[in-house]
Amino acid sequence: ISRDLVTEIKKGKRVEYIASTPNKLEPLVKSVQDSLDNIVTNLNTEYSKRQIIPSIETYYGKEGIGRVFVDIVSTLNKGETFYRYSVRRDIYRDFLPKAYRQLRDEKKIERLVITNTEGSKRYKPSIDRFVKILKGDYDTFNVTKMIYGNKTAFVDYENEVAFIINNDRMAKMEREVFIKLYQM
């Protein structure tokens, strides 16, 4: 009655209820749809805020570090590039999974590397790897940072720990800083 969908008619002591025209349902449905649209908009806003919060995966040991390299080749599509800061030349032998190089090469994944003089001794010329040597007086750490897709990975080879930050905005910022440094 309050929504004008039913009309009340008194006939003596009796009350009859008669349905109103079906056209009266349209404004009610539109009102419900508008309410639902507002709820979905608010939920999407809250959901997108959650996507801004980075997820962080931590791995330990040689196998854990190997998972980072597997994640690189799993995340990137054919012909894409990943970016790496790498300063030591003797760190990869024990940490790369056997399938990594094969998968990387099959996907023709390019690598841009920034290293120091010590690290540059490790790299041979390659079609899919471009190396820049960062000159200067700084310590050689056994740590690597890699930027790929929407992820940034840090690997500490001495302590055998790695973590991947999964966040579009952070990876974009890291990639832009890397490219600017690489171009210098």
Side-chain angles (χ1 to χ4, degrees):
I1 292 175
S2 66
R3 293 183 179 168
D4 201 24
L5 298 174
V6 175
T7 304
E8 184 179 57
I9 300 174
K10 290 188 179 184
K11 288 190 175 182
K13 293 183 179 181
R14 292 186 173 181
V15 177
E16 288 185 14
Y17 298 94
I18 301 173
S20 299
T21 175
N23 292 338
K24 299 265 183 167
L25 291 173
E26 288 179 14
L28 180 63
V29 170
K30 182 164 176 21
S31 172
V32 169
Q33 182 63 47
D34 290 344
S35 294
L36 180 61
D37 289 345
N38 286 334
I39 291 169
V40 169
T41 299
N42 291 338
L43 287 173
N44 279 330
T45 300
E46 290 302 313
Y47 182 78
S48 67
K49 287 179 185 175
R50 288 178 53 219
Q51 299 306 310
I52 293 171
I53 299 170
S55 66
I56 300 173
E57 303 166 28
T58 305
Y59 301 103
Y60 300 96
K62 291 178 182 176
E63 295 81 21
I65 291 172
R67 289 184 69 183
V68 173
F69 289 97
V70 170
D71 191 57
I72 290 170
V73 294
S74 299
T75 299
L76 295 178
N77 295 316
K78 187 173 185 171
E80 288 188 318
T81 302
F82 78 89
Y83 311 89
R84 179 174 66 219
Y85 297 95
S86 184
V87 294
R88 291 295 294 264
R89 64 186 200 123
D90 58 349
I91 54 179
Y92 294 99
R93 290 185 193 109
D94 296 335
F95 297 96
L96 286 181
K98 292 178 183 178
Y100 165 74
R101 284 190 175 111
Q102 180 183 349
L103 291 169
R104 181 196 67 201
D105 294 344
E106 285 174 6
K107 285 184 148 185
K108 298 182 179 174
I109 294 174
E110 291 188 357
R111 295 157 284 158
L112 297 182
V113 179
I114 295 176
T115 188
N116 63 359
T117 307
E118 178 70 20
S120 70
K121 295 174 187 173
R122 166 182 196 284
Y123 296 106
K124 297 173 185 163
S126 172
I127 294 173
D128 59 353
R129 179 179 52 226
F130 303 95
V131 178
K132 295 283 180 141
I133 300 168
L134 189 61
K135 296 183 179 175
D137 190 24
Y138 52 94
D139 288 334
T140 302
F141 300 104
N142 232 350
V143 176
T144 297
K145 177 166 59 171
M146 295 168 279
I147 304 117
Y148 58 100
N150 62 348
K151 301 176 183 182
T152 306
F154 294 85
V155 178
D156 178 348
Y157 294 97
E158 278 183 36
N159 294 309
E160 294 189 3
V161 64
F163 61 93
I164 299 171
I165 302 171
N166 189 343
N167 183 276
D168 289 329
R169 293 174 62 198
M170 289 181 176
K172 181 180 178 190
M173 189 265 316
E174 290 288 350
R175 190 171 27 261
E176 288 178 10
V177 168
F178 181 97
I179 290 170
K180 290 295 181 192
L181 185 59
Y182 189 85
Q183 292 170 345
M184 294 175 72

